[in-house]
Amino acid sequence: MDKQRPSPPSWPTKFLAWFLKEDYYEDVQGDLEEEFQVKANGSSVVNAKRWYTWQIIRLFKPGMIKELEAQDSIEKETTMFKNYFKIGLRNLWKYKSSTVINVIGLSTGIAAFVLIALFVKDEISYDRHHEHADDIYRVTVKNYTVDGDISRQWAFASAGHASRLKEDYSEIAYASRFYPWAFPDINYQGQDFLGEQVIFCDPDAFDIFSFKFIAGNAESAFPDIYSLVLTRSKAIKIFGNDWEEKGIIGETVTLSRSGNEAPFKVTGVIEDMPDQQHFHFDYLAPIRFVEMIMGEDAANNVGGNYNWLTYVRMSPDANIPKLTQQANDEFWDKYIGQFQSGADARDFYDFEFQPLLDIHLTSNLEGEYETNGSIEQVYIFSVVGILLLLVACVNYMNIATSHYSRRMKEVGVRKVIGAFKSSLIKQFLSESLLVVVISVPLAIILIILALPYLNDFVGKQLIFNPLIQTDILVGLLVLMLLVSSMAGLYPALFLSKINLVQALKGEQSMNSSKWNFRSFLVTFQYIVTIGLIFAIGVIESQMSFIRNSDPGYDREQMVSLSLPRGDYQNETFRNELLKHPNIEKASFSSRIPTGRLADSWGSRFFKGDSAIATSFRLPVVTVDKYFLDTYGIDILAGENFREGMETNLQQDTIVTGYYIVNRAASEALGFDEPDEAVGKKLGYGPSAGRIVGVMENFHFESLYSEIVPTLFLTRDRYRRISLKLRPENIRETLDHIENVYAQFDAETDPNYRFVDDLFNEQYQQEERLGSMIKVFAAIAILIGCLGLIGMVGFIIETKLKEIGVRKVLGASSGSIWMIISNRFLILIGIAFVLGLPLAYWFMNDWLENFVYRTSVSPALIIMPAIIAIILTLLAIAYQTLKATKVNPVECLKDE
Amino acid sequence: MKEYQLGEFEEIVLLTVAILHDDAYGVSIKEDIETRLNRKVSVSALQTALRRMEKKEYLKSEFGEATAIRGGKRKRYFKVTKTGKAALDYSKETRMKLWSAIPDVSFEYSKAWISSALLPLPGLPNS
């Protein structure tokens, strides 16, 4: 096209294209343009444009404008929708009780679903914020017994693993260890910050994880081994709110532990680690520093001593199964070869590269750094959330279809006037949308009210604010449409199907004895209700089984605390504590019951003079001679530790050992009777000695795991003291403990815990699960009951005449009640047969997590059905009584 | 006999289409009316008349060539149909009937309002 030629203004052209009949557009616009060009050449372009526009405006008239079909129908539709909404609102207003039931049902259903969705969304979002999350793996180590069974899988690796793996395999681009066990004190200009969580790591850490630097950067983070990167909140804690103005980079802080001090320079500040991360570190410092202190040997250790949390970032195209295979084939041979005993190291160790994104939900390895979530819990809650939403929708369907008798005439009239089936469907769908639109704000209020409790309960900071979080806003809108179509579609189809003639005659075309889709819906509701009641029953009975089961040791009024730091004699500390009359007993140990049996050495059992390595894992707890007495554990055979029975476990010296084993260990060694084990020779780690006693089994770990063979020995290396208190004046006794502790260690607080609390905490997750399911099940049952009441009300209404006739013929209220209930009882029966096996299967799966579990008693099985029947009969009784009180004359007089 | 309805403007347009014969499209018809009769014609009025007569089957149309000056859009050429010709004939005939029925004295004052109808009619091409 010639560039000199002026072009006609564009918006009138667009306007023309919009309104002019398509058939006319081409030549008319062509004509206009041609003339425009002539005019533009003849007079001015401006005039031509004005003319052009004016002509188009004048063309906008009937005859030229497109057939109004499309616009017309939109107008018709909006008018009809206005009508639907008006009728809908009138109906909602007229039948207030069913409206209230529907709105309560839907809003609680939606609120519960959204709350669960928030929780689930949070759980599955862990660690995803790291840029290379898909390529990050944690190096975990599996330990095998002589028999080739996995004994433990550690979340940690050995110190020497990271660097060697990185060097040997090109797929591993970056590798970093984290050493989290230092807890040094930090001193800055005279201010002390005790036991801070300083984590030592390799410089690769910044290439693996995406830590956001606010000050400094990843490259300059670790210029030397005295560097310190801290989080924003720690920067505020140490340097004050104005740390940014102060310019703290380069400031020196002193790290000290056990009398050793070292100055560290602040090299960077990173954002606090988000909640959705499976570890939280406050400070990062170069791991070279720890290596320097521990020495080269410790840093190069490749077997055992799993204290080094190790992460690697693979190259994006790495083949992980192949790499795992390769590493396990080569690594152990290359770096360990054979043990002293002659066994191949490769038979006892395996690496497993655990994807970062799996850690939070599916990993529960030995020594997880923080408590992880559980995928089962996520599944269970997802199922419950969806069920709740479905129950709420089904509720709506039930009530809406029971409206049948009331809406029949309306539908009939609409059909006579010419309503299509599709427009009736639209009408009923818009009614359900209306109810949902009313329910959602209520649901939002419920969510806002309930969220603090949920947060408290699951220990999260979930946020709900649709005004800011667009994803939640969009989600809510989608949910609204979904729920309204899910809830409204069946009633819409059902009501639009009504036969015209019957509808206008007022006949009952729906034979009430016929089985229809609604029976199916009611049955579904019963299945959910029965299933949830059953689940509550099982969880409750398992929890009470555990609460009431005897773990085999005394946990009442038992207090345990970590030992004070500093230089003192254990015995002095113990004696100071025992001075108080209300402290009955005191005992030192490395771990206490409710803890984990994580320490173990290899053990050998002597038959004659030849030692055979035991095939099972034998963990060790170091205790003093008061331990058994304090925890009330019986000696079955042999004797307790006496003075001088200390075992000095040092790696290089063979020493004499005195061991007490539990009954499980004695049986594992092949002795049926505990007596037989006493006096037998046993080698444990670098020590060799005899079994001096056998103690009764008790649950050192939680009831999740079986009682494992365990070995106890005395050795002056303890971490905790356990105190048995008298029940009187506990508060005062605790004050005494604090005072004594302060005499030995003025800097830290005695972090004492009651053992029964610790015991209960082992099952906290189940308790939490139980209470949450209880709350949500209660909501589901509530919704179901409401629906039932609403539905029965309508059924009775349609049967008022029948009831009247029956009463005239002499039926009692009771018999009428039974007639109406009958049908529901059959549905309960079906639901029971269908729902219970399903729930049983589901719950049995859950019970299998426990080694020690309750059996599902017949009462537990019958109970849900009985509750469902009672609730149903009550709901029906309420409505029936109302109906039977009416004088039969009232309902029979017309027609 | 069939009734032929023709408005005044319609008749002019129909006649112009006939005059232009093979070259009757939007712009040429408009120009012709504007120059010959010295009156302003809006695209809107012209198109309305054209389309209405097409509907009445006095005209038929087909797309012709496109030109650059039209922004690449094709012209729509109009032609008078047999019915169109009949309508014109009928119109002329009725008018002539009326003419002949006018008594001479009437001309004194009626000259003004019939002037526009007194056009020199060129010969109609046979369609």
Side-chain angles (χ1 to χ4, degrees):
Chain A
M1 202 176 170
D2 188 357
K3 283 227 170 107
Q4 258 98 49
R5 196 176 284 153
S7 57
S10 67
W11 69 260
T13 314
K14 281 182 191 151
F15 177 58
L16 184 72
W18 175 70
F19 76 77
L20 193 67
K21 286 180 180 166
E22 278 163 41
D23 187 28
Y24 295 1
Y25 177 73
E26 181 171 5
D27 59 293
V28 172
Q29 205 277 328
D31 287 354
L32 281 167
E33 191 160 338
E34 183 177 340
E35 210 166 342
F36 167 82
Q37 298 296 352
V38 173
K39 283 195 156 42
N41 282 338
S43 60
S44 73
V45 179
V46 180
N47 275 342
K49 282 187 178 171
R50 200 172 293 149
W51 172 86
Y52 182 87
T53 309
W54 179 233
Q55 293 302 319
I56 286 176
I57 290 169
R58 289 188 61 178
L59 272 167
F60 186 68
K61 64 179 191 184
M64 291 290 118
I65 298 173
K66 281 174 189 162
E67 291 296 323
L68 278 181
E69 263 170 357
Q71 280 94 335
D72 200 32
S73 80
I74 285 172
E75 203 175 307
K76 238 189 292 174
E77 289 286 296
T78 39
T79 318
M80 283 319 284
F81 268 110
K82 269 186 211 154
N83 175 273
Y84 299 156
F85 277 117
K86 190 181 272 174
I87 299 290
L89 275 176
R90 282 181 190 162
N91 272 316
L92 292 184
W93 188 245
K94 198 169 166 195
Y95 308 115
K96 293 184 198 70
S97 64
S98 71
T99 307
V100 168
I101 288 174
N102 270 332
V103 169
I104 290 178
L106 281 173
S107 55
T108 43
I110 291 173
F113 177 81
V114 170
L115 286 172
I116 290 175
L118 284 176
F119 169 78
V120 170
K121 178 174 168 269
D122 185 79
E123 280 289 290
I124 60 176
S125 67
Y126 267 66
D127 295 312
R128 287 186 196 276
H129 53 278
H130 293 292
E131 198 188 331
H132 304 288
D134 290 328
D135 295 326
I136 301 174
Y137 293 79
R138 183 166 71 177
V139 179
T140 67
V141 180
K142 289 179 189 166
N143 288 177
Y144 293 90
T145 64
V146 173
D147 293 342
D149 301 326
I150 290 189
S151 65
R152 297 272 147 150
Q153 184 175 359
W154 298 85
F156 286 69
S158 306
H161 286 163
S163 58
R164 286 169 177 73
L165 284 170
K166 184 185 170 188
E167 202 168 292
D168 289 356
Y169 302 104
S170 60
E171 290 95 327
I172 298 175
Y174 302 95
S176 172
R177 297 160 293 170
F178 291 86
Y179 183 79
W181 309 121
F183 296 103
D185 300 338
I186 293 181
N187 180 289
Y188 175 67
Q189 295 181 350
Q191 266 185 294
D192 274 326
F193 305 91
L194 301 176
E196 289 290 313
Q197 198 204 21
V198 178
I199 309 285
F200 293 89
C201 65
D202 288 303
D204 273 8
F206 299 106
D207 294 308
I208 299 172
F209 296 105
S210 314
F211 297 132
K212 282 202 195 81
F213 275 84
I214 319 169
N217 58 56
E219 288 72 40
S220 64
F222 289 167
D224 57 45
I225 66 170
Y226 300 103
S227 310
L228 188 68
V229 171
L230 58 166
T231 57
R232 181 197 286 274
S233 56
K234 290 297 166 181
I236 291 171
K237 184 176 166 188
I238 296 179
F239 299 99
N241 280 320
D242 52 346
W243 64 269
E244 271 176 296
E245 289 88 74
K246 280 185 188 161
I248 61 168
I249 303 293
E251 283 292 311
T252 303
V253 296
T254 310
L255 264 64
S256 60
R257 195 188 157 192
S258 336
N260 301 315
E261 284 189 2
F264 276 71
K265 267 206 176 72
V266 174
T267 53
V269 180
I270 54 175
E271 283 291 358
D272 285 356
M273 302 196 175
D275 289 336
Q276 292 82 12
Q277 188 165 295
H278 80 282
F279 56 70
H280 293 89
F281 301 151
D282 294 332
Y283 304 87
L284 292 169
I287 209 160
R288 290 282 311 135
F289 177 78
V290 175
E291 289 184 343
M292 184 190 75
I293 289 182
M294 290 187 174
E296 284 303 308
D297 282 353
N300 286 318
N301 170 41
V302 285
N305 196 7
Y306 305 109
N307 280 316
W308 311 75
L309 210 45
T310 303
Y311 295 89
V312 296
R313 189 179 131 199
M314 308 276 189
S315 55
D317 53 350
N319 180 343
I320 306 305
K322 195 176 139 237
L323 178 68
T324 312
Q325 183 70 44
Q326 205 181 346
N328 285 328
D329 283 347
E330 299 166 2
F331 190 91
W332 309 108
D333 284 347
K334 183 172 172 188
Y335 294 106
I336 302 181
Q338 291 187 330
F339 293 128
Q340 282 179 332
S341 61
D344 285 329
R346 56 179 298 165
D347 295 337
F348 291 85
Y349 300 123
D350 258 347
F351 284 120
E352 186 180 313
F353 298 104
Q354 187 179 33
L356 175 72
L357 297 181
D358 288 355
I359 293 175
H360 177 67
L361 283 179
T362 61
S363 170
N364 192 15
L365 304 182
E366 204 61 43
E368 287 290 348
Y369 190 65
E370 285 178 16
T371 312
N372 283 337
S374 111
I375 192 84
E376 276 97 19
Q377 206 172 343
V378 169
Y379 286 147
I380 290 177
F381 279 117
S382 306
V383 168
V384 171
I386 292 168
L387 281 182
L388 268 168
L389 200 61
L390 282 180
V391 165
C393 289
V394 166
N395 221 21
Y396 180 88
M397 291 185 209
N398 280 337
I399 293 177
T401 47
S402 339
H403 263 288
Y404 166 78
S405 57
R406 281 178 176 163
R407 307 299 296 273
M408 212 161 56
K409 286 221 167 67
E410 184 195 331
V411 172
V413 170
R414 276 182 189 273
K415 280 197 166 179
V416 168
I417 292 172
F420 293 114
K421 199 174 159 185
S422 64
S423 60
L424 285 168
I425 291 176
K426 275 180 214 154
Q427 182 191 352
F428 290 110
L429 275 180
S430 50
E431 273 179 31
S432 70
L433 182 65
L434 198 63
V435 178
V436 173
V437 166
I438 296 171
S439 307
V440 164
L442 213 68
I444 291 177
I445 294 172
L446 284 175
I447 293 167
I448 292 170
L449 290 179
L451 195 62
Y453 296 98
L454 180 75
N455 274 335
D456 204 34
F457 219 70
V458 297
K460 285 184 183 296
Q461 275 94 46
L462 301 175
I463 299 165
F464 175 82
N465 189 343
L467 297 179
I468 305 171
Q469 297 157 289
T470 42
D471 52 339
I472 286 183
L473 185 68
V474 171
L476 269 179
L477 290 175
V478 171
L479 188 68
M480 234 159 91
L481 290 177
L482 195 77
V483 169
S484 61
S485 51
M486 217 154 64
L489 197 61
Y490 172 66
L493 290 175
F494 177 81
L495 288 169
S496 62
K497 221 168 51 186
I498 292 172
N499 181 303
L500 174 61
V501 177
Q502 282 172 325
L504 289 178
K505 269 164 85 183
E507 266 175 31
Q508 290 281 342
S509 72
M510 186 181 69
N511 186 348
S512 59
S513 69
K514 217 167 69 186
W515 294 100
N516 51 31
F517 187 64
R518 210 172 68 193
S519 313
F520 171 74
L521 293 178
V522 176
T523 315
F524 170 78
Q525 241 170 346
Y526 277 126
I527 289 178
V528 174
T529 310
I530 288 175
L532 285 174
I533 295 175
F534 178 72
I536 295 176
V538 172
I539 294 175
E540 197 46 45
S541 95
Q542 172 66 15
M543 290 330 292
S544 79
F545 173 79
I546 283 177
R547 266 194 301 267
N548 299 323
S549 68
D550 182 11
Y553 58 87
D554 184 8
R555 62 182 193 275
E556 304 300 326
Q557 287 105 42
M558 188 75 74
V559 169
S560 164
L561 54 146
S562 325
L563 298 182
R565 304 184 308 173
D567 227 7
Y568 60 89
Q569 287 292 312
N570 278 343
E571 210 50 30
T572 330
F573 181 58
R574 181 170 182 275
N575 288 337
E576 279 302 312
L577 285 168
L578 283 174
K579 273 182 187 163
H580 197 277
N582 281 342
I583 299 181
E584 271 188 89
K585 297 163 185 170
S587 157
F588 291 105
S589 59
S590 60
R591 290 170 186 272
I592 58 162
T594 70
R596 302 193 73 165
L597 294 167
D599 316 314
S600 73
W601 297 72
S603 58
R604 303 166 303 283
F605 183 62
F606 288 87
K607 273 194 178 141
D609 280 340
S610 57
I612 305 155
T614 46
S615 62
F616 53 90
R617 181 176 179 269
L618 188 58
V620 64
V621 183
T622 60
V623 298
D624 65 6
K625 58 188 172 192
Y626 307 107
F627 184 82
L628 295 180
D629 180 39
T630 308
Y631 277 100
I633 299 160
D634 291 335
I635 284 277
L636 295 174
E639 54 170 355
N640 196 358
F641 295 120
R642 282 182 284 108
E643 280 309 317
M645 280 195 175
E646 262 109 48
T647 305
N648 187 16
L649 286 177
Q650 291 293 332
Q651 195 119 33
D652 39 5
T653 49
I654 299 288
V655 290
T656 322
Y658 304 89
Y659 319 112
I660 295 180
V661 295
N662 63 358
R663 191 209 283 265
S666 123
E667 280 164 7
L669 287 169
F671 305 110
D672 293 338
E673 290 301 320
D675 296 341
E676 298 167 21
V678 176
K680 292 290 183 306
K681 273 173 85 180
L682 192 72
Y684 194 73
S687 68
R690 289 182 192 279
I691 296 171
V692 295
V694 177
M695 67 164 82
E696 183 56 282
N697 279 343
F698 67 99
H699 284 277
F700 198 97
E701 294 184 311
S702 75
L703 273 82
Y704 284 124
S705 43
E706 254 174 296
I707 294 178
V708 292
T710 316
L711 181 134
F712 296 78
L713 51 81
T714 44
R715 172 196 183 203
D716 203 18
R717 283 276 192 90
Y718 303 118
R719 293 186 207 140
R720 304 188 73 89
I721 186 165
S722 307
L723 304 168
K724 170 78 178 169
L725 313 183
R726 278 184 217 284
E728 302 88 36
N729 281 330
I730 301 259
R731 188 62 257 170
E732 196 227 318
T733 319
L734 292 176
D735 285 343
H736 170 73
I737 295 172
E738 281 179 35
N739 289 336
V740 173
Y741 188 92
Q743 290 169 25
F744 286 84
D745 183 351
E747 286 177 339
T748 59
D749 290 326
N751 195 7
Y752 58 77
R753 301 294 314 268
F754 282 91
V755 175
D756 54 351
D757 284 346
L758 292 172
F759 178 80
N760 290 335
E761 272 171 28
Q762 295 179 305
Y763 310 102
Q764 203 181 26
Q765 209 179 358
E766 275 61 44
E767 294 274 4
R768 223 163 60 179
L769 178 78
S771 347
M772 271 178 82
I773 290 198
K774 257 184 263 177
V775 170
F776 287 122
I779 292 173
I781 294 167
L782 170 91
I783 296 173
C785 279
L786 282 175
L788 199 62
I789 291 175
M791 199 171 62
V792 172
F794 287 114
I795 289 176
I796 284 173
E797 193 170 293
T798 61
K799 289 191 169 185
L800 267 183
K801 288 212 173 69
E802 185 189 328
I803 293 170
V805 172
R806 280 178 191 275
K807 277 189 82 174
V808 169
L809 295 176
S812 66
S813 296
S815 65
I816 291 171
W817 181 44
M818 278 320 293
I819 290 169
I820 295 170
S821 307
N822 248 340
R823 185 177 160 72
F824 286 98
L825 294 182
I826 295 171
L827 295 183
I828 291 176
I830 296 173
F832 184 73
V833 171
L834 288 178
L836 211 71
L838 209 70
Y840 184 84
W841 173 73
F842 208 77
M843 289 318 292
N844 216 30
D845 214 40
W846 177 79
L847 272 181
E848 306 247 300
N849 285 333
F850 297 87
V851 176
Y852 300 91
R853 54 181 178 259
T854 177
S855 56
V856 177
S857 62
L860 224 49
I861 293 174
I862 299 297
M863 178 106 91
I866 290 178
I867 292 179
I869 290 171
I870 289 174
L871 287 175
T872 307
L873 289 182
L874 282 178
I876 295 174
Y878 166 74
Q879 294 282 9
T880 321
L881 278 181
K882 264 199 338 201
T884 50
K885 279 225 180 83
V886 178
N887 189 334
V889 176
E890 292 295 319
C891 46
L892 291 176
K893 70 182 176 192
D894 47 32
E895 193 171 2
Chain B
M1 192 181 166
K2 203 175 160 194
E3 286 273 354
Y4 295 102
Q5 288 277 339
L6 262 186
E8 185 259 346
F9 186 66
E10 281 176 346
E11 191 174 351
I12 293 169
V13 172
L14 196 56
L15 288 168
T16 314
V17 171
I19 294 163
L20 291 171
H21 187 41
D22 270 347
D23 191 32
Y25 72 101
V27 179
S28 66
I29 299 168
K30 187 162 167 281
E31 252 173 30
D32 199 78
I33 298 174
E34 280 176 345
T35 48
R36 213 183 283 271
L37 300 184
N38 194 25
R39 63 186 268 186
K40 281 275 166 203
V41 177
S42 80
V43 175
S44 169
L46 176 66
Q47 289 293 339
T48 314
L50 285 171
R51 307 295 171 170
R52 194 181 293 154
M53 286 191 292
E54 192 176 8
K55 216 176 231 169
K56 291 192 218 165
E57 293 178 356
Y58 295 170
L59 288 173
K60 61 181 180 183
S61 71
E62 58 191 17
F63 277 115
E65 81 282 15
T67 58
I69 198 170
R70 300 173 58 84
K73 269 119 191 159
R74 288 177 294 172
K75 294 172 181 172
R76 187 189 285 277
Y77 284 110
F78 291 91
K79 272 198 172 122
V80 181
T81 62
K82 253 189 188 143
T83 328
K85 168 86 164 59
L88 281 175
D89 284 345
Y90 173 75
S91 170
K92 187 178 162 195
E93 206 174 296
T94 41
R95 245 166 246 211
M96 292 320 289
K97 267 189 198 156
L98 290 172
W99 267 108
S100 52
I102 298 171
D104 288 348
V105 285
S106 300
F107 275 117
E108 306 282 314
Y109 53 89
S110 58
K111 238 176 197 168
W113 64 266
I114 53 168
S115 65
S116 64
L118 291 171
L119 303 169
L121 287 177
L124 288 176
N126 292 321
S127 54

